[in-house]
Amino acid sequence: MSHAADLPLWAAIAVSAFLLLGSGLALIGMIGFTRLPSFYQRLHAPTLGTSWGTGGVVMASMIYFSVVGGRPVFHELLVGIFVTVTTPVTLMLLAQAALHRDRAEGDPTVPGSIAADTEAARDDAKT
Amino acid sequence: MSATILYWSLTCAQVMLSIAMALAMLRMVFGPRAQDRVLGLDALYLNSMLLLLVFGIGSGRTIYFEAALIIGLLGFVSTVALAKFLMRGEVIE
Amino acid sequence: MSVLPYPLLALSLLLMWLILNSFSVGHLLLGSAIAVFASWSMAALRPSKPRIRRWDLLARLLVIVLYDIIQSNIAVVRLILTGRRPGHHSAFLAVPLELKDPTGLALLAVIITSTPGTAWIEYNSSEGTLLMHILDVMDETEWIDIVKNRYERLLREIFE
């Protein structure tokens, strides 16, 4: 806490607000992650942390280092961009894996394969 | 004044993110099926990345930012590999 | 082969290099060299080249998506903290898409996934059907309308 004393009051309030917003959203997302009943519903919970949860913490960090350093600092933005680009890939792959496993077990609550005909066609082409 | 505000909000943020990590870990350990555990691991990585960014603000050093970037990278790659494993039963085909 | 096959990629790589390191003439030169070599190696992979036709609409889409992300954050927080309202449930939803451009589809996937409450599950490219999961739904047609009119129409105008 060496640099915090010479921070102007407005910057301290802005940093605190964004910090609490971001970590609060991440926490609420994780509460939902433990409380929601099925996997496909739980899939939505971490997106709270990846959208405005990350956004809030990144904004707080950007404001803090810009004010303390006396020059604009943007490099935290890379974390935000990186998370935004990678989350769809991980969630999409996980959802497909879960769907594949549920269909293989014959779970009646998941919809039938919309790609069944193409998969079958691809298998036909192979043989 | 501003030091006090910042101190308390940093403490609150760290406590909230630690609880979030504990909840993600809970799902990772007890999650009924394998996909829940993988999703829990992904959430754990995300929350630890946020916690590292908060540590960076608390200490005023930018080295934590690089650590956060690496954690994010590792989380992405490991989740993709695990999801691939769940789908096919093997990573290298 | 042209010197810069992917000018946008090269520019964003250079920007990333300058953001990660502090700005100086040496880093500008090094970053430019890395950007040029990286876009050459990208050209060796021959990905399909995205064509952005309407930059003004892209900016509008960005504003709409940021607003929607804030809205759905509030909705999901309310759902987690206060529980489900009567008549609402979570459901799978099949949406027929007319968008074919790969970059547009990738952008649509990013939009749908980063908005809490909606998740992209599966896409069938031969029929153009998208399977998504919605956390809190009362009327399915309302969500199909949002995806088709709010996002897909703009994306088609931008990329096709």
Side-chain angles (χ1 to χ4, degrees), chain A residues 114, chain C residues 93-97 108 112 119-124 128-132 147:
Chain A
I114 55 168
Chain C
L93 190 60
V95 184
L97 289 183
L108 185 64
I112 288 179
W120 175 293
I121 305 274
E122 196 173 36
Y123 174 69
N124 179 350
T129 336
L130 158 69
L131 185 68
M132 44 193 278
V147 173

Side-chain angles (χ1 to χ4, degrees), chain A residues 82-83 85-98, chain B residues 35 37-39 41-43 45 71-93:
Chain A
F82 184 73
V83 168
V85 173
T86 54
T87 318
V89 181
T90 51
L91 289 188
M92 225 186 287
L93 273 173
L94 263 178
Q96 275 178 13
Chain B
Q35 52 261 42
R37 295 173 204 266
V38 178
L39 191 58
L41 183 71
D42 188 47
Y45 266 117
I71 288 269
L73 210 79
L74 280 178
F76 170 62
V77 173
S78 58
T79 314
V80 167
L82 282 168
K84 185 93 174 53
F85 177 75
L86 284 186
M87 210 172 332
R88 297 280 184 225
E90 51 197 320
V91 178
I92 299 161
E93 289 184 290

Side-chain angles (χ1 to χ4, degrees), chain A residues 25 28-29 31-33 35-38 40-45 47-53 71 74-78 84-85 87-89 91-92 95-96 99 103 109-118, chain C residues 16 19-20 22-23 66 69-70 72-74 76-84 90 92-94 106 109-111 113-127 129-131 133-136:
Chain A
L25 274 175
I28 291 171
I31 291 173
F33 188 52
R35 281 185 57 188
L36 288 171
S38 83
Y40 298 101
Q41 292 181 37
R42 286 197 280 270
L43 200 61
H44 299 285
T47 52
L48 278 180
T50 57
S51 58
W52 270 98
R71 64 188 179 86
F74 295 119
H75 60 235
E76 284 89 350
L77 214 58
L78 287 178
T84 316
V85 173
T87 318
V89 181
L91 289 188
M92 225 186 287
Q96 275 178 13
L99 205 62
R103 276 175 188 157
T109 54
V110 297
S113 175
I114 55 168
D117 42 344
T118 53
Chain C
M16 194 184 104
I19 288 172
L20 273 177
S22 55
F23 180 83
L66 282 179
I69 287 178
I70 295 174
S72 56
N73 259 299
I74 296 169
V76 173
V77 165
R78 189 185 293 148
L79 180 121
I80 288 174
L81 291 183
T82 64
R84 209 173 281 280
S90 67
F92 287 98
L93 190 60
V110 171
I111 292 171
T113 319
S114 46
T115 321
T118 53
W120 175 293
I121 305 274
E122 196 173 36
Y123 174 69
N124 179 350
S125 55
S126 62
E127 282 163 39
T129 336
L130 158 69
L131 185 68
H133 187 265
I134 319 254
L135 183 57
D136 191 34

